[in-house]
Amino acid sequence: MGESQKFQLGTIGALSLSVVSSVSIVICNKALISTLGFTFATTLTSWHLLVTFCSLHVALWMKLFEHKPFDARAVMGFGVLNGISIGLLNLSLGFNSVGFYQMTKLAIIPCTVFLETIFFRKQFSRTIQFSLIILLMGVGIATVTDLQLNALGSFLSLLAVLTTCVAQIMTNTIQKKFKVSSTQLLYQSCPYQAMTLFIIGPFLDGLLTNQNVFAFNYTPQVLFFIVLSCLISVSVNFSTFLVIGKTSPVTYQVLGHLKTCLVLTFGYVLLRDPFSWRNILGILVAVVGMVLYSYYCNRESQQKASEAPVQLSQPKEVESDPLLSVENGNGIHGDGGPKSPVWSSNKDLHA
């Protein structure tokens, strides 16, 4: 099997793991929130990261991967930034309507494209831009309902978008700069992310829910779903770093919107959640955008491979990280960086 085929299989595996684990944790957390009333999203995320770190420590002890220390300040800054971005996304959701929060999530892709273009001189072709516009239109049609604006909520959303974009860009650049794997980076940054969220989590959750996480009635059923959520989060967090490392932050965000469409479809088919023709139309448009994005990225990747001698003399990059293609070394993080967790009973909760 050639190197390109191995990269392709690795990328497909990472994308598949990310989708399956993310949808699974949404199902688990919906039961935890809607049925059992456990709405402490930020604190739960700190537990997710703590369990992830412990799992990776066991894997290190079993010599499943090699510990590779590097710039401690970069790791600490990256971990704290990831934790802050998750907290800001939760605050954005708490102080805005659901529709405005969905717009915040949609804004992450154009913001990432802008930052990569300005600071990394990365080029996005017109076809890639066109496919991303179609994707965002579809997700917007399917998910955005009301748009109630307020000054504080808008400011928090702006901070959430910026920190999330920077954190995801750093995920890719750190792996390439220091030549560390997604597992090695996750292992070293997890304690800082968990510590940040563990400190701010109870305060944020109390502010958003008017409840005390430590005074909650932890029944055996609640504990079971918390443990299950934490175990699934290990796969979610690992696949997040893996996908961004193998592709790019933009591709990871495209994948995130695919998960949103899958969750909506799952909720309608199995849970009989309310569904309208607007949801169906939006999902179909979004799928068209994802297919076009994957197709154009794959085509540009093949063109770049065939013109390698010419490309070596050019300083700029082209976005060529297809949704289902090989890692080519280009490109520059959580429901949540990982995607943000969502704490309301009728919203999705990611790790």
Side-chain angles (χ1 to χ4, degrees):
M1 182 181 294
E3 288 298 320
S4 63
Q5 290 179 315
K6 290 181 181 179
F7 276 130
Q8 185 173 23
L9 289 176
T11 305
I12 293 175
L15 294 167
S16 301
L17 178 63
S18 180
V19 170
V20 172
S21 58
S22 295
V23 173
S24 299
I25 204 169
V26 166
I27 299 169
C28 176
N29 290 337
K30 272 194 170 183
L32 191 59
I33 290 175
S34 303
T35 306
L36 303 175
F38 188 87
T39 56
F40 309 103
T42 308
T43 303
L44 179 62
T45 306
S46 70
W47 298 345
H48 286 173
L49 291 165
L50 180 60
V51 172
T52 299
F53 174 73
C54 293
S55 302
L56 290 175
H57 193 69
V58 171
L60 179 64
W61 177 73
M62 297 174 63
K63 297 183 179 180
L64 296 179
F65 73 96
E66 180 183 356
H67 179 47
K68 185 179 180 181
F70 58 98
D71 192 337
R73 289 184 299 178
V75 174
M76 181 183 296
F78 170 71
V80 172
L81 180 63
N82 262 300
I84 291 175
S85 71
I86 294 173
L88 285 171
L89 281 167
N90 280 340
L91 283 174
S92 173
L93 177 60
F95 285 92
N96 291 299
S97 64
V98 179
F100 191 80
Y101 176 72
Q102 292 294 342
M103 288 296 295
T104 298
K105 291 169 63 178
L106 291 177
I108 292 175
I109 285 183
C111 182
T112 302
V113 170
F114 174 78
L115 291 177
E116 289 188 304
T117 301
I118 297 298
F119 295 103
F120 291 88
R121 299 180 179 275
K122 190 172 183 180
Q123 293 181 337
F124 294 83
S125 66
R126 291 184 181 274
T127 52
I128 293 295
Q129 296 175 28
F130 175 70
S131 63
L132 290 175
I133 291 174
I134 294 179
L135 166 66
L136 295 177
M137 285 178 55
V139 176
I141 293 172
T143 61
V144 176
T145 52
D146 57 320
L147 287 175
Q148 301 175 10
L149 305 179
N150 65 82
L152 178 59
S154 301
F155 178 70
L156 291 172
S157 294
L158 176 62
L159 291 179
V161 170
L162 289 175
T163 53
T164 300
C165 291
V166 173
Q168 292 182 358
I169 291 173
M170 286 181 66
T171 301
N172 188 279
T173 53
I174 287 178
Q175 290 187 51
K176 287 180 168 57
K177 179 180 179 180
F178 296 102
K179 293 181 172 55
V180 294
S181 68
S182 55
T183 308
Q184 292 167 332
L185 177 58
L186 181 59
Y187 174 71
Q188 295 190 64
S189 64
C190 250
Y192 299 107
Q193 295 183 61
M195 187 187 315
T196 302
L197 290 176
F198 190 77
I199 293 173
I200 67 176
F203 170 75
L204 290 185
D205 289 334
L207 179 65
L208 297 173
T209 65
N210 294 320
Q211 298 182 58
N212 187 345
V213 63
F214 301 109
F216 189 79
N217 182 24
Y218 290 90
T219 63
Q221 192 174 14
V222 171
L223 291 175
F224 170 79
F225 277 98
I226 288 176
V227 171
L228 180 61
S229 178
C230 289
L231 292 176
I232 299 175
S233 73
V234 176
S235 177
V236 174
N237 291 324
F238 173 71
S239 62
T240 295
F241 279 64
L242 193 61
V243 169
I244 296 177
K246 281 186 169 293
T247 57
S248 73
V250 173
T251 297
Y252 176 73
Q253 286 299 324
V254 171
L255 185 67
H257 291 308
L258 170 61
K259 299 172 192 174
T260 299
C261 294
L262 290 175
V263 169
L264 288 173
T265 305
F266 171 83
Y268 172 71
V269 173
L270 297 182
L271 303 180
R272 297 301 175 186
D273 287 344
F275 216 64
S276 65
W277 284 106
R278 175 178 173 174
N279 298 128
I280 297 174
L281 175 62
I283 289 176
L284 291 177
V285 173
V287 168
V288 170
M290 293 174 201
V291 171
L292 289 175
Y293 177 79
S294 181
Y295 170 75
Y296 289 135
C297 282
N298 189 47
R299 188 179 67 177
E300 291 181 13
S301 179
Q302 293 176 348
Q303 290 176 349
K304 189 169 185 179
S306 63
E307 300 171 0
V310 178
Q311 293 294 330
L312 287 175
S313 63
Q314 297 180 358
K316 296 184 179 181
E317 296 177 348
V318 177
E319 168 71 0
S320 55
D321 292 308
L323 196 58
L324 291 176
S325 185
V326 301
E327 178 187 9
N328 55 26
N330 290 335
I332 18 94
H333 52 246
D335 232 10
K339 281 194 172 182
S340 159
V342 180
W343 49 267
S344 180
S345 59
N346 62 345
K347 304 163 189 172
D348 301 329
L349 176 62
H350 303 272

